[in-house]
Amino acid sequence: MDTEQLIQHFNQGKSVTPGTPEHDLLLQCSNDAMRITAELNGAYHTPEEIRELMSQLTGKPVDGTFALFPPFYSDFGKNITIGKNVFINACCCFQDQGGITLGDSSLIGHRVVLATINHGFSPEERSSCRPAPIVIGRNVWIGSGAIVLPGITIGDNAIVAAGAVVTRDVAADSVVAGTPARFIRSIAGMTSEERRACMA
């Protein structure tokens, strides 16, 4: 099995269990991700160098419009897809085995966690990794400290307020907030005060 086959395995929603060839390869990829993120986070890098390191981490070219403020953390990296004009602020954690897609012009605030892996509920299955993708649409703004759980899709233009825990899909053009996140209102007609309340 190679990395592309492992990604396909995850993208098909298949679990990975310790002691299997899939798990052994996952550990290799995780160590590679730790090496790249340690380099990314360990010293100052120009925007161009950051894009090059993120291209290494994801295994695919990152667009020249992409920007990131380190530190940034990922324990896999190879299942992240980044659109154009994407900005990721400092201290974000992407657990991307299940797949993370960031749509064009999405904004990711400080300390956002995107988690695409669950574990089995029963003790004997607790060590298994169960993937489900996170898909973030175009022009989405995710506020500081938000957590997005596995299998979530966030529609175009949506806002996830700071500190929200997103446990179900978010409709396009909507604002969600709270724990668990719930619909607050549509983007249309928001006042400037309401926008400030969502700011990260």
Side-chain angles (χ1 to χ4, degrees):
M1 171 172 280
D2 61 21
T3 302
E4 284 303 314
Q5 290 171 319
L6 179 61
I7 292 169
Q8 289 177 9
H9 183 93
F10 280 129
N11 290 347
Q12 292 167 1
K14 296 179 180 178
S15 298
V16 171
T17 305
T20 62
E22 293 84 4
H23 191 262
D24 292 343
L25 181 55
L26 174 58
L27 291 178
Q28 291 178 34
C29 291
S30 294
N31 278 285
D32 191 45
M34 286 188 282
R35 175 186 59 78
I36 295 168
T37 54
E39 183 176 351
L40 174 67
N41 300 333
Y44 170 77
H45 295 284
T46 66
E48 294 77 16
E49 290 169 339
I50 288 172
R51 285 191 287 271
E52 172 56 30
L53 286 165
M54 287 297 289
S55 295
Q56 291 179 32
L57 178 67
T58 62
K60 54 184 80 81
V62 174
D63 191 78
T65 59
F66 170 74
L68 177 144
F69 288 174
F72 173 82
Y73 305 96
S74 172
D75 57 3
F76 186 62
K78 296 297 186 277
N79 212 2
I80 301 172
T81 301
I82 301 171
K84 297 179 180 179
N85 297 304
V86 170
F87 174 67
I88 300 173
N89 220 322
C91 300
C92 290
C93 298
F94 284 18
Q95 183 194 48
D96 64 285
Q97 291 89 338
I100 293 172
T101 301
L102 303 179
D104 293 348
S105 302
S106 52
L107 302 174
I108 312 299
H110 292 89
R111 296 180 292 105
V112 166
V113 174
L114 304 181
T116 67
I117 289 289
N118 258 328
H119 295 283
F121 284 5
S122 64
E124 57 272 16
E125 296 180 332
R126 192 68 48 80
S127 60
S128 66
C129 297
R130 299 181 175 181
I134 291 172
V135 178
I136 295 171
R138 297 168 56 92
N139 302 307
V140 169
W141 178 15
I142 300 183
S144 292
I147 299 172
V148 182
L149 297 185
I152 298 299
T153 295
I154 299 175
D156 292 351
N157 307 313
I159 295 174
V160 175
V165 177
V166 183
T167 61
R168 30 183 200 184
D169 289 352
V170 177
D173 301 301
S174 64
V175 180
V176 299
T179 306
R182 61 185 178 83
F183 175 79
I184 300 298
R185 64 169 304 149
S186 171
I187 297 291
M190 284 183 72
T191 67
S192 57
E193 184 176 325
E194 288 166 331
R195 290 191 183 96
R196 281 194 297 274
C198 295
M199 286 180 66

